Amino acid sequence: MNINRFPLRAGYAARAFMNNSRVGTIAERVESLNGLAPAEAGRILSRMPQDYAVNILDRPELRNAPAILALMDSADSARLLHGMSNDRVADVLLELDVDDRVRLFSSLEEPVRVAIQHLMGYPPRTAGSIMTTEFVSVPDDWTVAQTLDHVRQVERSRETVYAIYVLDHNSGALMHVVTLRRLITGEPDASILSVAQKGIPVSANALMKQEDVARLIRKHDLLALPVVDDHGMVLGIVTVDDVIDTMISDTTEAAQKFGGMEALGKPYMKISFGGMIRKRAGWLCALFLGEMLTASAMQHFEGELEKAVVLTLFIPLIMSSGGNSGSQATSLIIRALAVGELKLTDWWRVLLRELPTGFVLGAILGLVGMVRVIFWQTAGLYDYGPHWQLVSLTVFATLVGIVTFGSMSGSMLPFLLQKLKLDPATASAPFVATLVDVTGLVIYFSVALLILSGTLL
């Protein structure tokens, strides 16, 4: 579709959008465009001042940027793509189908094409895939005044100017970093090295995982992290806002997986009905099949249930307690693995910690269960039969066993999945709860056979 076929309508829409007092900041304008069809959003963007439209398209929050650019006139899309940051252009092109990607890519100038092709070649979720090649660098034989003049000239075409990277004037390798604050306080005739930070600059390699990049930025309180090759040459920088965007995306994906479903990959209101069914049905079926094992376990103990119907009263209590303890442990371990508090080799330390923790938690719940049975029996609220003391003991022992098992399995499962190169977030709370439900019944009736044998059983 050529958006220039609607000049009057597009011009009116753009003027109305720009003059709307309710839409103030760039972020608010992005949100407003998200509510429009891609073709309409493209018509509006094409009539905006270029710098303003580029600022909007550079925002990852603009959900339909690939579709908007694909529907634009080739001249308009090329003009806006040249103004956008290279890393954002790479992200947009990767989301397009092959034909649109080739068409838009071919409209770029040769230096831009080369830079973007490099960015698109890095594996997903690495420093190289989220870095930008637009940064400020100067040779180490420059003065403060020369550097300031250079910053003024290139500021509009760079992702950030808060950090200036000082390179060896012979090899081009990264030597030092100069903050903008130190730069503007330096003497004009002084060497750039006089205001450079001391020590070896903190850097990442292009294949470093983005989680490790985020940890480096947080640890050293950086606004940008240089990405270097094996020879110390700067390939690009990862800015803190890029890290925040990727972390938000990852957190959303992990939260959806932890709910017992596939990650949607799109905003909730943007995914189709069929897509929603596909994302949720598979996991629900898998969990349902797992819960069918619970029925099989109950069938196996059918005889015991017929002899002691009172045991059925505590099945929901037993199963939910084990599932809750497992879900707690899983949540704690997955988060600890995600933020780097735990490594794969720490599994044995977690095991030694969760074993007594689960035992004590189980004992606490078991005592609460025993008090409940004793109180109901002595207060005349319910008659658990002549062997109610043994019933209360069975509840206590079972809760100790199942809560301990739930804590152990919930804490070890994320380590197992990570060892198998799978996402630990797939060890979702519903999955752990289903696992503990089945084993919990086996534990419950095994303990009941041991304690109640010769009385109720």
Side-chain angles (χ1 to χ4, degrees), residues 422-442:
L422 300 174
D423 187 356
T426 55
S428 61
F431 181 79
V432 172
T434 301
L435 172 65
V436 178
D437 283 351
V438 178
T439 54
L441 282 174
V442 176

Side-chain angles (χ1 to χ4, degrees), residues 163-175:
I164 295 93
Y165 301 96
V166 181
L167 312 180
D168 185 277
H169 67 278
N170 291 318
S171 66
L174 177 63
M175 300 296 293

